[in-house]
Amino acid sequence: MDALAGLLEGPRARGAFMIRACFEPPWAIRIEDRAPLTVMLMVRGAACILPDAGEPVRLTPGDLAIARGPDPYTCADAPGTAPQALILPGQECRYPDGRSLNGSMDLGVRTWGDRLDGSAVMLIGTYPMQGEISGRLLDALPPLITLTSDVWQCPLTPLLMEEIVRDEPGQDVVLDRLLDLLVIAALRAWFSRPDAEAPAWYRALADPVVGRVLRLVQDDPAHPWTVASLAAKAGVSRAALARRFTDLVGEPPMSYLTGWRLALAADRLRTTDDTIAAIARHVGYGSAFALSSAFKRVYGVSPQEHRTRVTS
């Protein structure tokens, strides 16, 4: 598995929230839903994404923005427009004074806004639960990233426009998979930019020593790796590997290995019905107890509690 593939394995939407938003200026929506990841694809017109901390980002047709939660932000036609609606956790919609919108902005199947023929049209997809996006992927992203139409072309836009307003059996599953593909395509393009702010371990893959060690760990996490065995594979001393790895990745080799194993375990708890013991063997722990102890130390909950939270 290459590093980018490992990073992008994360998106697994299940019942994700997807809408086509249609507005006529002036308009503004305040987002406080605390969702871990939201994708906004501009189809027609223009919009501004206004994070509470940071500069506004303007979107024009073909541009895409990805907001990493839980920080709030405002989406509007222009920076000075006052919000007309507030989006809370669970996609609860209210007026800014707290009154319920009561569906007053519903415009049809998965369509929302103030005018169906509005000059601004945006496709929005939200992963509502942390378990649907791997922590490693979220940690690799800044709070807001954008891709403009001059640096990438989204091949999914026509299909998304067609599918998002369909009301057919199984349509939620179709949209979940399309959202996953959209996120993966966008992040692949973003990480491929010359000035990409990739995580330290991703940049370290270019190093002939550390890159080899990272690939060994990622490809075979269940192997009983030690610093000595990794150093031997890389052709350097233990001290040299420990120093070089820590300098480039930001943590020692065994600390990285633990984090990788636990991230894989968290994903398998979310996506499979495997027993804790089976997952422990798969990611390199000798017993369910050993995995549970390490998992709770890092995540603050037991593997079973984690599984219950992300599947409930």
Side-chain angles (χ1 to χ4, degrees), residues 4-246:
L4 186 56
L7 188 67
L8 298 182
E9 270 197 323
R12 295 287 191 279
R14 289 184 300 175
F17 179 76
M18 289 197 72
I19 61 167
R20 178 182 61 163
C22 305
F23 290 100
E24 186 66 27
W27 60 273
I29 307 298
R30 175 70 174 170
I31 313 297
E32 297 182 2
D33 61 1
R34 301 187 64 81
L37 202 73
T38 298
V39 186
M40 293 160 278
L41 178 61
M42 205 72 208
V43 177
R44 185 171 73 223
C48 286
I49 309 299
L50 307 158
D52 284 10
E55 296 298 317
V57 172
R58 183 171 173 81
L59 301 180
T60 57
D63 296 349
L64 176 141
I66 297 179
R68 173 176 61 79
D71 295 342
Y73 56 94
T74 299
C75 187
D77 68 307
T81 304
Q84 64 201 72
L86 176 65
I87 309 300
L88 298 171
Q91 299 305 321
E92 180 184 357
C93 302
R94 293 188 174 275
Y95 289 106
D97 63 8
R99 291 178 296 125
S100 174
L101 279 168
N102 292 324
S104 61
M105 297 183 73
D106 292 345
L107 299 175
V109 176
R110 298 186 192 87
T111 303
W112 190 82
D114 58 10
R115 282 186 59 173
L116 190 59
D117 60 349
S119 59
V121 176
M122 178 187 293
L123 302 183
I124 302 171
T126 297
Y127 291 81
M129 294 189 300
Q130 175 78 41
E132 296 176 350
I133 296 285
S134 73
R136 296 182 72 253
L137 175 55
L138 293 176
D139 290 344
L141 301 177
L144 182 66
I145 69 173
T146 57
L147 286 169
T148 56
S149 59
D150 60 333
V151 299
W152 92 305
Q153 296 293 323
C154 180
L156 297 172
T157 302
L159 184 58
L160 281 166
M161 282 290 288
E162 179 181 346
E163 293 290 342
I164 202 166
V165 294
R166 285 191 175 181
D167 189 13
E168 298 181 4
Q171 193 64 17
D172 287 346
V173 176
V174 172
L175 292 174
D176 283 349
R177 298 293 74 79
L178 286 175
L179 178 58
D180 290 341
L181 287 172
L182 177 63
V183 170
I184 290 169
L187 292 179
R188 184 171 61 181
W190 188 77
F191 278 118
S192 298
R193 296 174 305 124
D195 60 341
E197 300 173 22
W201 64 263
Y202 184 80
R203 298 192 301 269
L205 284 162
D207 183 82
V209 172
V210 176
R212 175 165 174 73
V213 169
L214 284 168
R215 290 183 179 90
L216 288 168
V217 166
Q218 291 172 350
D219 289 346
D220 191 5
H223 187 83
W225 295 113
T226 64
V227 175
S229 64
L230 289 170
K233 290 284 188 180
V236 296
S237 68
R238 287 179 295 175
L241 173 61
R243 181 173 59 252
R244 191 162 176 168
F245 194 101
T246 303

Side-chain angles (χ1 to χ4, degrees), residues 256-268:
Y256 177 86
L257 174 59
T258 296
W260 176 246
R261 284 171 167 169
L262 294 179
L264 292 176
D267 284 346
R268 291 187 74 85

